[in-house]
Amino acid sequence: MTPQFAPVELEKAYRLINHGTTALVSAHHAGVDNVMSASWVCGLDFKPAKLTVVIDKIARTRELIEQSGYFVIQVPTVAQLQMTYDLGNRTLRNDPDKLQHCGAELFRMEGHGDLPFVAGCSAWLACKLIPEPHNQQAHDLFIGEIVGAWADTRVFSNGHWHFEDAEPSLRSLHYIAGGQFYATGEALNANTDLD
């Protein structure tokens, strides 16, 4: 691991996605890796740490998750905007070299089997699928128990994001539609001293 890459306490892992970021979902099964973009990722619980993600039935990544029982949620950066868009608009079914064409570089994490992690992101959450067949079929909703979490300390440390102090290229992305994204903006703090 690089000095900028550090583990995150699982009970605080939800903080990596609770700002509504666009995410990358990756999975592996039977020698096949794939990565897709997803906008509907949400923290679900603290202990054990869980999250939800919506994955359409047409996605090849969904099949890999259902077959392997594991997946990774990543937080892509502004520097990865085009890759993020391309991963969401190309399919492995039609383009066997999708990952190469999109510029996605993968790595493996010790202790997490064959799970593919996308290099260059600002956060990574390894998840074990909690099978909920009805929710998966009726609503395309997948629940994952977070079994490992890491973040780039240049932008996330001490359990908090620090976008305002980081290089703008490390900010997270928020997808709107039609290829339009926004980057995480300035920090605003509410008064927490309540009477």
Side-chain angles (χ1 to χ4, degrees):
M1 281 190 248
T2 67
Q4 294 92 11
F5 193 86
V8 173
E9 295 175 50
L10 293 183
E11 289 182 19
K12 293 183 180 175
Y14 74 93
R15 293 180 181 179
L16 298 172
I17 56 170
N18 73 338
H19 61 296
T21 183
T22 296
L24 299 178
V25 183
S26 60
H28 171 92
H29 182 71
V32 177
D33 289 327
N34 200 24
V35 182
M36 61 173 275
S37 301
S39 292
W40 296 343
V41 178
C42 182
L44 178 63
D45 206 349
F46 303 104
K47 193 171 182 180
K50 294 183 217 133
L51 58 74
T52 61
V53 58
V54 174
I55 305 174
D56 193 273
K57 291 172 185 65
I58 64 168
R60 180 73 169 103
T61 304
R62 176 181 172 141
E63 291 176 17
L64 299 176
I65 292 169
E66 291 174 327
Q67 293 165 346
S68 71
Y70 289 89
F71 59 98
V72 181
I73 298 292
Q74 284 105 163
V75 177
T77 66
V78 166
Q80 296 173 306
L81 184 143
Q82 191 63 51
M83 178 192 73
T84 301
Y85 179 77
D86 292 347
L87 286 168
N89 286 282
R90 286 182 183 250
T91 175
L92 194 63
R93 295 185 196 287
N94 299 336
D95 182 0
D97 296 319
K98 169 189 171 179
L99 299 181
Q100 180 182 355
H101 291 150
C102 294
E105 180 185 335
L106 304 180
F107 67 97
R108 294 322 202 242
M109 184 81 67
E110 188 175 335
H112 291 278
D114 289 328
L115 279 175
F117 292 76
V118 179
C121 292
S122 60
W124 303 261
L125 298 101
C127 300
K128 179 179 180 180
L129 178 65
I130 298 174
E132 291 284 349
H134 172 74
N135 286 336
Q136 290 167 209
Q137 288 304 310
H139 308 293
D140 298 328
L141 182 70
F142 286 72
I143 300 173
E145 179 180 346
I146 303 168
V147 296
W150 304 265
D152 185 328
T153 57
R154 294 175 295 173
V155 70
F156 186 93
S157 59
N158 300 317
H160 296 281
W161 288 106
H162 303 285
F163 293 116
E164 67 277 13
D165 299 325
E167 290 291 322
S169 64
L170 292 173
R171 291 181 175 186
S172 63
L173 298 168
H174 304 269
Y175 187 63
I176 305 304
Q180 182 180 13
F181 290 80
Y182 284 94
T184 302
E186 65 181 299
L188 303 171
N189 293 305
N191 181 357
T192 58
D193 296 326
L194 301 176
D195 294 332

